[in-house]
Amino acid sequence: MRAIRTARHRAVVLATVAALGAGLLAGCADDGKDEDATSSGNSDGKTTITVGLFGTFGFKEAGLYDEYMKQNPDVQIKETVVERNENYYPALVNHLTTGSGLQDIQGVEVGNIAEITATQADKLVDLSKYGKKGDFLEWKWAQGTAKDGKTVALGTDVGPMAICYRKDLFEKAGLPTDREELAKLWEGDWAKFVDVGRDFKKGAPKGVTFMDSPGGLLNAVLSSETEKFYNAQGEVIYKTNPAVKDAFDLTADAAKEGLIGKQVQFQPAWDTTIAKGKFAAMSCPPWMLGYIESKSEASAAGKWDVAKAPKAGNWGGSFLAVPKAGKNSEAAAKLAAWLTAPEQQATLFAKRGSFPSAPSTYEGDQVLAAKNKMTGEAPIGQIFGDAAKSAPVQVIGAKDQIIQQGLTDNGVILVTKGKTAEQAWSNAIKTIDNNLEK
């Protein structure tokens, strides 16, 4: 998915990535067939529950399916994975609309959850009868809840925002390298973060920018806003919301001053800048650590660190929903609740690096003791946990992905190619509005 690049998409992009200890977000997909495979009884008397996902959620890889089937010997779980969400999601909407072709449990990406809860809630099981609201971050539970109060999707992982930075490059530029000292420099204001970038530029090693990409900065700033593209009434406000224009202009200024690389994230050229150490800082949810490790040279291990972002935000995350059309929706709902319970979320983090949406896990050893090869002894579990608890309950709209992509790939990136901020903004609006009308 190009629009809002999430943790789940990262799992698709990567063939193999090391985890926060052993392996993070390993990419895996089957043939992508989206067949009509609802729950049914096997010839051996077991109930088959089918799970339809995009990318790798890690349930199978972490052994959770095997554990559930061990605890429930009358259940058989079969997983189907479609590699890319842009192929998966349109088919899911079509199947929900027609009531056929559905798996018993369906994954939903955070960028699509608002549309699902607004237009498809009546086709989904109310999971509040199975999952526990108190087990989840308040804002994560709210995202999966429809306007009528029914919670039709249970949260899996989240992507609390931090700043990943190269200590060696900061030191060469004459900046502090201590994570707490840096966090104080830019605390509470993304403009202060850009000011640190200006200081970095004064002593920067040749060919090294402060930050990786315009899209990375813009996405980070917007992730910390309660309202960005839609308001609470579901109205599109991105053109009139001053927070969006301010974030765009701040990013454009940084790009114009050469503080940011000229790359689009998750493209081969951007990967090269990671490998060659061509930038010093980037917006960084937990899953990004695995991506950094997969693209970095071995000599970069231990040179990275993680600091608190200027403002708390979230980038990434997914949900599980249970269609009513399933032949055994109750059994599927019980499995969805079990997979997203705190104990299983902690296991997923320990084995796969998916950061939990269950705050009770943040005080457990599996989170607090987490370390990453690239960041050494940095207390990443504590840093990301604090960010997750502080992130705003953000309004997510049905077409957030289209708007996000327009602002980044068809907008602010143009400033690095010689366009003015206003020209870039105008092009972004034109692209977005054309796509929203389709």
Side-chain angles (χ1 to χ4, degrees):
M1 169 179 48
R2 289 286 308 286
I4 297 179
R5 302 173 176 89
T6 67
R8 196 63 53 229
H9 180 58
R10 302 284 61 76
V12 174
V13 173
L14 303 181
T16 53
V17 189
L20 300 176
L24 179 74
L25 303 174
C28 175
D30 68 1
D31 59 8
K33 294 180 180 179
D34 193 9
E35 58 192 51
D36 188 354
T38 52
S39 298
S40 61
N42 293 336
S43 58
D44 59 4
K46 292 187 177 183
T47 297
T48 298
I49 302 176
T50 57
V51 182
L53 305 174
F54 53 95
T56 299
F57 279 52
F59 301 139
K60 179 190 294 184
E61 295 77 8
L64 294 184
Y65 292 154
D66 289 339
E67 178 61 27
Y68 190 82
M69 289 186 287
K70 181 180 178 181
Q71 295 180 19
N72 300 271
D74 59 335
V75 170
Q76 179 71 29
I77 302 172
K78 292 186 178 180
E79 180 185 277
T80 298
V81 178
V82 176
E83 185 173 316
R84 299 178 65 84
N85 189 49
E86 58 260 46
N87 297 326
Y88 168 90
Y89 181 66
L92 173 60
V93 173
N94 180 60
H95 294 325
L96 285 170
T97 301
T98 61
S100 64
L102 290 158
Q103 311 294 310
D104 298 313
I105 295 175
Q106 297 279 179
V108 181
E109 198 271 325
V110 65
N112 303 125
I113 193 61
E115 186 170 32
I116 288 293
T117 57
T119 65
Q120 304 293 337
D122 62 328
K123 309 292 180 58
L124 301 170
V125 173
D126 182 0
L127 296 177
S128 64
K129 302 175 183 178
Y130 301 90
K132 298 178 181 179
K133 181 178 180 179
D135 283 346
F136 297 86
L137 291 162
E138 179 184 353
W139 57 266
K140 187 70 171 181
W141 182 269
Q143 287 177 337
T145 301
K147 289 185 177 180
D148 63 3
K150 294 180 180 178
T151 299
V152 296
L154 297 178
T156 57
D157 61 318
V158 292
M161 189 71 69
I163 299 296
C164 289
Y165 64 98
R166 284 278 298 256
K167 292 180 290 187
D168 57 329
L169 297 178
F170 269 51
E171 183 177 16
K172 289 179 180 179
L175 292 180
T177 60
D178 179 77
R179 68 182 75 92
E180 294 185 5
E181 186 175 354
L182 287 170
K184 289 180 180 179
L185 289 178
W186 56 59
E187 184 176 12
D189 192 344
W190 284 100
K192 293 180 181 178
F193 179 73
V194 173
D195 285 340
V196 173
R198 294 186 176 101
D199 290 338
F200 177 87
K201 184 180 179 181
K202 295 175 183 177
K206 184 178 181 180
V208 177
T209 60
F210 175 61
M211 205 171 179
D212 64 306
S213 66
L217 177 56
L218 180 62
N219 186 52
V221 178
L222 292 176
S223 77
S224 59
E225 296 292 338
T226 299
E227 290 187 347
K228 51 178 184 175
F229 307 145
Y230 288 75
N231 62 19
Q233 290 71 47
E235 300 168 327
V236 177
I237 62 168
Y238 83 94
K239 284 187 284 189
T240 58
N241 182 2
V244 175
K245 189 59 163 60
D246 289 347
F248 192 94
D249 289 344
L250 178 66
T251 305
D253 288 344
K256 183 179 180 180
E257 295 177 41
L259 309 182
I260 306 178
K262 301 179 180 181
Q263 308 300 328
V264 175
Q265 288 187 318
F266 310 111
Q267 299 300 306
W270 181 74
D271 292 345
T272 299
T273 65
I274 297 176
K276 301 300 182 183
K278 293 299 183 180
F279 63 86
M282 65 192 306
S283 51
C284 188
W287 51 263
M288 187 67 82
L289 292 175
Y291 197 90
I292 291 171
E293 185 170 346
S294 74
K295 301 303 178 183
S296 295
E297 298 177 353
S299 59
K303 293 181 179 179
W304 288 86
D305 209 328
V306 184
K308 181 180 178 181
K311 292 184 178 180
N314 184 75
W315 180 9
S318 298
F319 298 80
L320 296 181
V322 176
K324 291 179 179 178
K327 295 180 180 178
N328 198 342
S329 57
E330 183 175 358
K334 290 179 179 178
L335 173 58
W338 186 87
L339 289 171
T340 57
E343 296 81 5
Q344 282 63 255
Q345 290 207 38
T347 296
L348 272 175
F349 177 72
K351 293 186 176 182
R352 305 295 300 172
S354 299
F355 201 82
S357 59
S360 63
T361 65
Y362 301 165
E363 303 305 320
D365 290 342
Q366 288 175 304
V367 173
L368 288 180
K371 296 292 187 295
N372 176 264
K373 180 179 179 181
M374 305 309 292
T375 56
E377 295 301 311
I380 54 177
Q382 179 180 338
I383 294 170
F384 289 123
D386 289 345
K389 288 183 286 188
S390 302
V393 180
Q394 191 169 71
V395 176
I396 298 178
K399 304 299 180 183
D400 265 31
Q401 293 186 5
I402 290 174
I403 299 172
Q404 182 75 45
Q405 183 175 356
L407 291 174
T408 56
D409 297 0
N410 301 103
V412 73
I413 186 68
L414 299 178
V415 180
T416 67
K417 301 178 181 180
K419 300 293 184 181
T420 67
E422 288 307 312
Q423 288 172 328
W425 176 254
S426 177
N427 191 75
I429 289 177
K430 180 180 179 180
T431 302
I432 292 167
D433 288 352
N434 285 341
N435 286 330
L436 289 179
E437 292 173 0
K438 294 180 180 178

